[in-house]
Amino acid sequence: MMRFAKPLMTIGSVLLMSACTVLPESEPPRIVGLGDITPQQAAYQSPRPVSMRVDLPLASAPFDGTLVLIQPSNWEFQALPGTRWRDTMPVLVHDQLVQSLRASNGFDNVLAANSAANADISLLPELRGFHARQTDQGTTVVIHLYYELLQNRTRETLCVLDEKQVVPAQSTEIASLMAAFRQGTAEVAANTAQWAFECLEGVDAD
């Protein structure tokens, strides 16, 4: 029996060492956002006499998450390694729309989606694109939204808009992509504010 003791001890030592092996910790993802975006439009002198609620954009995968997306082909999406948006893409777009609509001074009041206050008008966005795209001509960033402007009392759709901006990016480096995302989102938000202001001409609060 004694001649088996040493091999058993050796095997036990190997198992103990394996159990205590420290695996390298993965680095936490880099969290990015759009940052401060300067409004692209001049403020209106006289706001429309309505209150507007901006709904959280409707989105399906992959545009409902926090991955920074790159599209190398029409049928494929890839995630930028080690990088995440600070919140979901619909929340990022919602926050920028609210900021831009308020800065436009085009409406008596602009409410966020989670506000408990009543609103005369609802802006209903659908997020169709929020990603980078790689082609033979280079890298671009695509911001694509579809909108309905709804009168809450009658449930009537007043106007619709299909808004898309394609902004060139110098490369797929994170700094270049963020600059393009900021520019594209600012342009979409400014165009949305102008469209909503023009749509609501002659519309009064009920």
Side-chain angles (χ1 to χ4, degrees):
M1 292 293 294
M2 293 300 296
R3 56 182 175 178
F4 294 106
K6 187 172 182 181
L8 287 174
M9 290 178 61
T10 303
I11 294 172
S13 300
V14 171
L15 292 175
L16 183 60
M17 291 176 62
S18 299
C20 295
T21 300
V22 178
L23 297 176
E25 293 185 4
S26 59
E27 294 186 4
R30 185 178 183 182
I31 305 300
V32 297
L34 295 173
D36 294 330
I37 299 179
T38 303
Q40 299 292 304
Q41 78 279 11
Y44 294 103
Q45 296 299 316
S46 300
R48 303 296 190 209
V50 297
S51 58
M52 180 189 299
R53 182 188 314 281
V54 181
D55 277 21
L56 190 69
L58 177 68
S60 57
F63 303 119
D64 58 349
T66 61
L67 298 177
V68 181
L69 299 172
I70 298 179
Q71 189 179 29
S73 63
N74 287 333
W75 49 267
E76 181 183 6
F77 286 96
Q78 297 177 356
L80 196 68
T83 307
R84 297 288 186 274
W85 290 113
R86 66 167 179 82
D87 210 321
T88 64
M89 287 175 265
V91 170
L92 295 177
V93 172
H94 167 270
D95 291 352
Q96 183 54 38
L97 288 174
V98 171
Q99 179 182 335
S100 182
L101 288 163
R102 287 173 176 169
S104 74
N105 192 42
F107 318 93
D108 271 353
N109 195 13
V110 176
L111 306 173
N114 59 358
S115 172
N118 292 324
D120 307 305
I121 304 293
S122 288
L123 178 64
L124 310 177
E126 177 185 336
L127 184 59
R128 295 183 171 180
F130 198 80
H131 59 284
R133 177 183 291 167
Q134 290 177 295
T135 67
D136 294 338
Q137 288 73 41
T139 303
T140 58
V141 162
V142 179
I143 313 292
H144 187 189
L145 286 112
Y146 179 85
Y147 300 100
E148 289 185 57
L149 208 56
L150 184 74
Q151 190 169 46
N152 290 333
R153 182 180 64 83
T154 63
R155 309 308 294 172
E156 175 188 0
T157 296
L158 301 175
C159 298
V160 296
L161 174 68
D162 193 344
E163 174 66 20
K164 183 178 182 179
Q165 292 292 327
V166 180
V167 180
Q170 294 183 354
S171 69
T172 57
E173 295 294 326
I174 188 64
S176 296
L177 292 179
M178 289 303 104
F181 272 109
R182 277 195 300 273
Q183 180 182 342
T185 305
E187 291 176 0
V188 164
N191 292 343
T192 302
Q194 180 180 352
W195 161 77
F197 184 82
E198 294 171 356
C199 174
L200 294 175
E201 183 178 6
V203 176
D204 295 324
D206 293 323

